[in-house]
Structures are given as structure tokens and as C-alpha cells.
Amino acid sequence: MPESPPPPSKRRRIRLGAVSRPAGQAEVPKRAGVTRREELLDIAAELLAERSFASVTVDDLGAAAGISGPALYHHFDSKEALLGEMLVDISQHLFDGGRGLRDTSPPERLLDDLIEMHVDFAVDHRALISVHFRDLLQASATDQRRVRVLQRQYVEIWVDALLVRKPTLTAAIARPAVHGVLGLINSTPFSPRARRGDMVALLRTMAAASFAAVGVTDAPIA
């Protein structure tokens, strides 16, 4: 019997290209379990994170992958399509992971599991976060809409989890609190490097402490 896949919070790498690959497209794996399309998306993520979408040409992407620039068009219609697929895959991956946790985690544990999952994602996919922050507006309008819809759905899973943890909160307070914590975690690519274990522990602790402070009113400062 094949081994069951790890739960979303334990996955270390996204299978880029697995979400948005055109239906019926067959590809010969470049290495075990990874198609050429997925490998190209991984390579592109690192290059775009380093240099930005506008400054990377199709020839640059091809050279990094060991092929000619025009050969990329066997896999993607354009550089913009490659970017859009990458960004949609990120958002779909997170939404699917959050939805999976929502369906399997005890309600009182869900917020902690979401933190764990998203911290793992942020620490292991710095390049993808950098590309998303800087280059989302370079994707097609259709892909931008897809990304934003998935992001809103993902955030609402967090909002519901926070309201279970703190039922006296309103959604109007919980929603910006969730955005603030996700922003904290997603700042990882711009933070000084640290050992993975140390960074994971730090981010989980800070995220949990931030949520714990939501709704706590301190005495006014004199």
C-alpha cells in the first residue's frame, strides 16, 4: 500500500504546476515525481525572486533551465502565463491546505494548525513569497482575480478559526488581525537568515502571541 501523503501542515514543497496544468497535457518527468513543467516553474521562481519579472527575459529563463528561450513556449504560452500559473498555484496550495485543516482539525486546535502550516510555507518558499509581493500586478487580470479570490477564501478560514478561539471578537476585528499576522509571517523573505528550526519556532510564537493579544484592551497611556 502506498504511503499516505503528509498532512498539509507537514508538507515542505509545493508541486508548482500541479494545480494549473492544462487538462490532458502529458509530460515526461525530468526527475522522479517532477515534470519538466514543474521544474521550470521552480527555476523561474528563484530567478524572478532574485531579479524581478520585468528584468528577466524568456532567454534568461531558458538559460537557467538549460534550454533555449523559445523552448519555454512548449510549456507556457508566455512569460506572463508562467507567472500567473505560479501565483495561482501558491494561492490554491494555501487554500487547499487551509480547507484540509478546517475539515480535519479540532475547532479549538485549528488556529494553531493554520499557523504551523503557513509558517512552514513561508520558511520553505521565500522565493515564491517575494515574487508574489513584487510581481502579482504583472500577471494577467484573470490570474490576478483568481489569486485574490483564493486569498479571500483562505483568509476567511483563519477568521473563522480566530472567532472560535475568541468568540467575543467581531469579524470586523478578526479579519484585520488575520491579515496582520499573515503579513508578519510573510515578511520571512525580508528577514535576516536563521536556522530553519529557530525561524519556525520564532514565527509560530510571534503569530500565536499576536492573536492572543487581539481584543485585549490596555489602560490608556498617560
Side-chain angles (χ1 to χ4, degrees), residues 119-154:
V119 166
D120 284 344
F121 165 80
V123 171
D124 293 330
H125 298 91
R126 291 170 179 255
L128 293 178
I129 293 176
S130 296
V131 173
H132 179 273
F133 271 138
R134 186 173 55 208
D135 294 323
L136 175 60
L137 293 180
Q138 302 294 333
S140 70
T142 298
D143 284 334
Q144 289 183 50
R145 283 194 296 272
R146 292 177 67 191
V147 166
R148 290 185 172 119
V149 167
L150 288 165
Q151 288 177 332
R152 284 195 296 271
Q153 293 172 326
Y154 179 57

Side-chain angles (χ1 to χ4, degrees), residues 35-100:
T35 67
R36 184 57 162 161
R37 185 187 191 85
E38 292 166 352
E39 185 178 55
L40 291 171
L41 283 164
D42 279 337
I43 291 170
E46 296 294 335
L47 195 59
L48 295 177
E50 179 184 348
R51 294 171 51 185
S52 86
F53 179 82
S55 63
V56 172
T57 67
V58 169
D59 288 337
D60 293 332
L61 292 169
I67 60 177
S68 68
L72 282 174
Y73 296 120
H74 294 301
H75 304 277
F76 305 97
D77 291 338
S78 64
K79 188 176 73 161
E80 181 186 71
L82 178 151
L83 174 67
E85 181 164 327
M86 183 187 304
L87 298 179
V88 170
D89 276 4
I90 298 168
S91 300
Q92 186 72 58
H93 170 86
L94 290 171
F95 173 61
D96 288 346
R99 183 169 53 182

